[in-house]
Amino acid sequence: MRLDKYIASVTDLSRKQVRAVIRAQHISVDGSIIGNPAHHISERSEVCLSGEMLRKPGFRYLMLHKPAGVVCATRDSHQTTVIDLLELERPENLQIAGRLDIDTTGLVLLTDDGQWNHRLTSPRYQCTKTYLVTTADTIDPATADRFGRGIVLLPENKRTRPAELQILDSHRAVLKITEGRYHQVKRMFAATGNRVVTLHRRAVGKIELDPSLEPGDSRPLTETETASV
Ligand code: URA
């Protein structure tokens, strides 16, 4: 990854400020001063700003393969929560970066870094969420066009942002949306007269669900995954 992109992702500096601090020789990578914003760093590079390491140690970034029947909540007196599935110290500090319905499966990201969570979930950043959808009825080929233009969801009566639908076969499609409205995918299909039968989140931004994770399993994100947000 480029040095300037990495620094922008772990600080509050604008791209312009990042380039300025690099050119002013304030940045070192693995102990050497680097003045080139395009310098390539690896996952293991230690990047310092004026001698201080940039990634604050202690923050946790995790991906979980959520099974159906588990709630995206930090606490629930009746049902198993995504937090219950993690065997970690201080689980109460973790925030869920974008919730899924109880019957939805797939990628859930968790962190105790509030700023990172904000960049994933604030409507301002329009982070793309990718879902695999199966439906009860045949998907009308016109659906892709309708979703592309945005579709009015009731009761808000507000058009969705343009979404990308790739129809895989009569009852399956991949949908990319950049919002996170309540039951959004189910309501979008309901607005076309169809019904979602299964919903699985494959990716959030550039972070893809690790295919080696079984439902219920989790792992820490890599530096590259964390810095992609
Ligand atoms: N849209 C839905 O309808 N449900 C989810 O769980 C996620 C997106």
Side-chain angles (χ1 to χ4, degrees):
M1 152 179 274
R2 279 175 62 116
L3 179 61
D4 55 355
K5 194 167 172 224
Y6 174 76
I7 296 172
S9 72
V10 297
T11 66
D12 287 325
L13 298 175
S14 66
R15 280 297 176 97
K16 198 170 158 198
Q17 290 168 325
V18 167
R19 280 194 294 275
V21 293
I22 296 173
R23 296 229 158 88
Q25 313 275 300
H26 289 309
I27 297 294
S28 68
V29 178
D30 298 327
S32 306
I33 296 289
I34 302 292
N36 174 13
H39 179 80
H40 190 267
I41 59 163
S42 80
E43 275 179 41
R44 286 184 299 279
S45 301
E46 202 177 287
V47 181
C48 296
L49 168 59
S50 303
E52 267 193 26
M53 201 161 127
L54 279 181
R55 171 133 330 264
K56 288 190 198 141
F59 280 145
R60 293 173 291 178
Y61 306 90
L62 302 160
M63 72 161 69
L64 167 78
H65 185 167
K66 178 191 170 304
V70 170
V71 282
C72 268
T74 44
R75 205 173 287 182
D76 192 287
S77 42
H78 301 296
Q79 278 149 323
T80 306
T81 70
V82 287
I83 302 288
D84 295 332
L85 297 177
L86 307 168
E87 283 154 21
L88 284 177
E89 303 277 308
R90 295 170 284 109
E92 65 281 2
N93 291 352
L94 287 169
Q95 306 166 6
I96 302 162
R99 288 162 197 258
L100 295 176
D101 298 336
I102 189 164
D103 54 348
T104 303
T105 58
L107 178 62
V108 172
L109 298 173
L110 300 113
T111 185
D112 44 17
D113 178 348
Q115 281 190 4
W116 190 83
N117 185 4
H118 180 71
R119 286 200 295 277
L120 275 175
T121 52
S122 162
R124 196 175 133 204
Y125 294 96
Q126 296 177 14
C127 175
T128 303
K129 274 79 64 178
T130 307
Y131 293 93
L132 177 64
V133 188
T134 61
T135 57
D137 299 315
T138 300
I139 302 168
D140 181 343
T143 309
D145 223 46
R146 291 184 68 187
F147 286 0
R149 278 184 272 119
I151 194 160
V152 174
L153 293 184
L154 297 172
E156 299 104 297
N157 210 19
K158 195 176 155 220
R159 199 167 279 280
T160 54
R161 288 185 47 75
E164 193 185 309
L165 184 75
Q166 184 197 358
I167 299 175
L168 301 177
D169 55 41
S170 60
H171 290 72
R172 284 188 324 138
V174 173
L175 177 64
K176 292 183 184 221
I177 58 173
T178 57
E179 299 163 290
R181 296 203 218 168
Y182 182 65
H183 292 330
Q184 178 158 347
V185 176
K186 290 172 185 164
R187 289 164 67 212
M188 285 172 74
F189 276 91
T192 71
N194 207 335
R195 183 169 62 81
V196 171
V197 177
T198 67
L199 187 55
H200 177 81
R201 185 153 70 192
R202 283 180 163 178
V204 174
K206 290 186 181 147
I207 305 175
E208 293 180 5
L209 179 63
D210 186 332
S212 72
L213 288 181
E214 296 291 332
D217 285 352
S218 59
R219 70 153 168 83
L221 296 186
T222 64
E223 273 289 327
T224 308
E225 286 167 337
T226 308
S228 74
V229 173

